[in-house]
Amino acid sequence: MTVRLLIIEDDDRVREALRLALEDEGYSIDEAPDAESALRKLSYSGPPDALIVDLMLGRMDGFTCIREVRRDHDVPIIVVSARDDTHDVVAALEAGADDYVTKPYEIKEITARLRALRRRSTPVPGSREAPRDLHLDTDAEAPLILSTGSGTVRRGDVELHLTLTEYRLLCELAESAGHVLSRRALLERVWDHGFFGDERIVDVHIRRLRTKIERDPSDPRIIITVRGLGYRLDLGR
């Protein structure tokens, strides 16, 4: 089955070169020269299998575009940008991007990241065992429940909107509840073996996940930071 990509890039030459290179790799490509037209495409035809987004797009920048996409879609998003400042990387990930590649790049790097993102879709980590409900927080009024069968996370009767990356992070931590997982271990399990990205990606996604599942994200009780080692999920606190 052909993988469909949407490239959002305002430089015509860069967009054309990326389109041709990815088509040579077997991808089906749609293009948008700005964020506004990209969002219209998503509204009309639904999300593709992945988005490739530049940050410098004109009236609506890439950060805003990603946030708008994340309102309705869990589609994997890779940022490809000449901006390599730490602040920009973290800001893009916090907006909802799954990965970040700096220009100049080799097309093999882009395709490797795309393959890793696609492999995250199936199976989810919780599928290694029989589907079950995991009670991550025993709050009497609104317990936090991870259902590996349905692939959902609920706080009481409310289903929480987690991205695929956040869901897989939570599954991996829950599978190893009570044990510390290093950032590198989480990178390899969630972002795929052989991933060569920055460990800051883990910290940013953990921070975003906490805002959705913790009763008080400033004082996390479910996902605990173990200084110098990594993260540990504590059940039933």
Side-chain angles (χ1 to χ4, degrees):
M1 182 176 177
T2 303
V3 176
R4 297 185 305 115
L5 306 178
L6 173 59
I7 299 173
I8 310 173
E9 165 68 65
D10 65 343
D11 187 312
D12 294 341
R13 291 175 297 177
V14 172
R15 192 175 65 252
E16 176 74 2
L18 185 55
R19 179 182 67 80
L20 292 173
L22 288 170
E23 285 180 340
D24 284 344
E25 295 289 331
Y27 292 95
S28 173
I29 306 299
D30 196 2
E31 306 173 49
D34 53 60
E36 293 84 353
S37 60
L39 293 173
R40 287 195 295 271
K41 286 177 180 288
L42 292 175
S43 177
Y44 296 150
S45 57
D49 295 303
L51 298 182
I52 297 177
V53 183
D54 187 25
L55 293 181
M56 296 177 283
L57 292 175
R59 286 186 303 169
M60 182 186 294
D61 63 22
F63 302 108
T64 305
C65 177
I66 293 167
R67 284 191 289 269
E68 289 297 315
V69 171
R70 280 287 175 250
R71 291 179 185 272
D72 301 305
H73 305 293
D74 290 335
V75 57
I77 299 174
I78 296 179
V79 169
V80 178
S81 175
R83 298 167 66 164
D84 59 359
D85 183 79
T86 296
H87 173 77
D88 292 322
V89 176
V90 172
L93 295 171
E94 289 186 330
D98 295 283
D99 205 346
Y100 196 107
V101 177
T102 55
K103 301 175 182 176
Y105 53 82
E106 295 288 337
I107 194 62
K108 291 185 181 298
E109 181 177 4
I110 301 294
T111 56
R113 304 292 182 101
L114 286 167
R115 285 194 297 271
L117 283 171
R118 291 286 296 155
R119 279 195 290 267
R120 273 186 247 171
S121 325
T122 54
V124 298
S127 66
R128 289 197 297 259
E129 300 180 7
R132 64 197 189 282
D133 286 353
L134 297 175
H135 290 251
L136 307 183
D137 179 358
T138 55
D139 183 303
E141 295 183 0
L144 182 69
I145 301 173
L146 166 63
S147 299
T148 61
S150 61
T152 60
V153 180
R154 303 188 311 277
R155 170 66 77 177
D157 295 328
V158 178
E159 182 175 337
L160 304 183
H161 181 76
L162 270 59
T163 67
L164 176 60
T165 300
E166 291 162 357
Y167 176 75
R168 288 180 65 95
L169 265 175
L170 185 59
C171 284
E172 288 293 353
L173 288 164
E175 288 293 331
S176 300
H179 299 279
V180 178
L181 292 178
S182 68
R183 291 169 177 82
R184 176 52 54 181
L186 288 168
L187 271 178
E188 292 180 349
R189 295 185 187 192
V190 177
W191 277 262
D192 212 2
H193 291 284
F195 180 79
F196 41 86
D198 195 313
E199 291 185 5
R200 289 174 296 180
I201 289 177
V202 176
D203 297 330
V204 174
H205 283 287
I206 288 287
R207 186 158 63 245
R208 294 187 61 219
L209 179 57
R210 280 172 169 162
T211 66
K212 297 179 180 181
I213 68 170
E214 297 279 0
R215 281 175 279 177
D216 180 3
S218 65
D219 182 24
R221 301 299 179 90
I222 300 169
I223 299 177
I224 308 301
T225 301
V226 182
R227 191 174 300 277
L229 296 177
Y231 296 99
R232 183 188 72 241
L233 186 141
D234 287 346
L235 293 173
R237 294 188 61 176

